[in-house]
Amino acid sequence: MRTGRATTERRSPGRGATGLVLTGGGARAAYQVGVLAGIVEILAREHPDGIGPLFDIICGSSAGAINAASLACHAHQVQAGMQRLEGLWSALHTGDVYVADALGLTRTGGQWLTMLTLGWLAPARRHARPRALLDNTPLRSLLRGTLDFDQLNRNLAEGRLQALAITATAYNTGEHLTFYQSDIRIKPWRRSLRQAVPGRIGVDHLLASSAIPFVFPAQAILVRGQTEWCGDGSMRQLAPISPAIHMGAARVVIIGTGYKDDTYPEKRRISPEYPTLAQIGGHAMSNIFLDSLSMDVERLERINELLAKLPPDGLQSETLRPVRALVITPSQSLDAIALRHLGELPRAARTLFHVLGVSSRTGPGSGAALISYLLFEANYTRELIELGRNDSIGRSDEVRAFFKEASA
């Protein structure tokens, strides 16, 4: 990929905004980086002197929130920012995201064991109760050293970006929260169990959005003067595309991380073994991270079909409008790719997941889905990046047509 020159091009407020929606998926989010790298490659071939900002509105949830924030911080240098994000994921190790050594895992595991075996003796000792299976303190340090939120503020102030939105789920109220930052006036919206919260976005919002339930600890966020303990943004996210549309997107690029056959429907057995904790956990994560996006894309397509049948002057609603979507999802099972790299996990982490039921055998009982979210090792993430790049380059004509329409 060519680096290209820095640009100070301001997005035109007069045309429909272009949005980007990045959903969750732990380590699977490396696939999103590959797709975006491929898109940048395709467009850079037609603009050898460098390309300007690609997206007016960037929305992310779970690990997709981290990618979204990085892209927003580099809206002034799209190609250089993309190279940096790809470099980050390509050099990643599990210890950069969560404590994966024997001592650290023994400490968190010991807390769970103590609670389960002796907790009834001292029910008042709340401070001793474990908060999560894994300690993601290293991720906080990684984000602080990687993201330049001052540059994000400048990108918003100078019009290179209209808005950044990060989603999380409040455990206190059960509401799905969209935290957004913008220098243009965007009226906060509220729907059943969903609300938008304007303000400055920081590392705490990213940690909250990526706090996989039970796996990573919840994060305290101040929401309108009240402390909310927030977890993964993909929980209860019934409409992942909605924030981009609320903020004015007329067209969206949607990058998912779910492969259509990850549930292995063709491999059902007459007398299956009882599911392991890893198998149950992987299924639960797939329900959290994958199902809502596919349903929301189908809903968007149905609405577009209905609107297309109306006469040009028949649409009176200001909120209901057709939205052009470019959806890219994996062409291969990320579960299967994860199994090939299982042995690269640190020994202590590998032992933990083996106890939970993860194995190297293929099929529905392997726990591959669980490990595909938590295997933050460079060889795995590089393979996902390469798959994403190939998937987007394989649709070069669609990509060029989409962004040609966006710049018209």
Side-chain angles (χ1 to χ4, degrees), residues 61 167-178 191-195 213 231-240 242 284 287-289 291-293 295 299:
S61 59
T167 60
T169 303
Y171 287 118
N172 310 56
T173 63
E175 285 190 309
H176 185 258
L177 305 175
T178 296
R191 298 291 185 270
S192 177
L193 291 178
R194 290 185 284 150
Q195 67 166 305
D232 200 289
S234 294
M235 292 187 291
R236 309 192 81 167
Q237 191 176 30
L238 302 178
S242 175
N287 286 337
I288 291 172
F289 293 123
D291 292 351
S292 60
L293 177 64
M295 290 188 293
R299 186 183 303 119

Side-chain angles (χ1 to χ4, degrees), residues 7-141:
T7 177
T8 58
E9 178 184 347
R10 175 180 286 269
R11 301 293 301 202
S12 169
R15 64 172 183 261
T18 300
L20 173 66
V21 176
L22 300 175
T23 58
R28 287 172 170 243
Y31 173 81
Q32 299 171 343
V33 177
V35 171
L36 290 164
I39 289 174
V40 169
E41 261 184 57
I42 293 166
L43 300 179
R45 291 170 188 165
E46 300 183 0
H47 304 278
D49 293 331
I51 57 178
L54 299 179
F55 304 104
D56 303 291
I57 298 163
I58 301 178
C59 305
S61 59
S62 194
I66 296 172
N67 288 338
S70 180
L71 293 170
C73 289
H74 290 92
H76 64 301
Q77 293 180 320
V78 174
Q79 289 161 281
M82 195 65 247
Q83 283 185 327
R84 182 163 183 174
L85 184 58
E86 184 176 348
L88 173 68
W89 279 93
S90 296
L92 201 61
H93 294 287
T94 300
D96 297 326
V97 178
Y98 57 87
V99 177
D101 60 87
L103 180 61
L105 289 176
T106 299
R107 184 169 60 249
T108 54
Q111 289 178 330
W112 282 101
L113 182 62
T114 300
M115 181 190 72
L116 292 173
T117 58
L118 301 175
W120 61 275
L121 292 174
R125 294 184 60 196
R126 294 190 177 186
H127 65 279
R129 295 178 185 175
R131 294 190 170 188
L133 178 65
L134 300 173
D135 177 3
N136 64 345
T137 300
L139 179 59
R140 177 182 290 275
S141 299

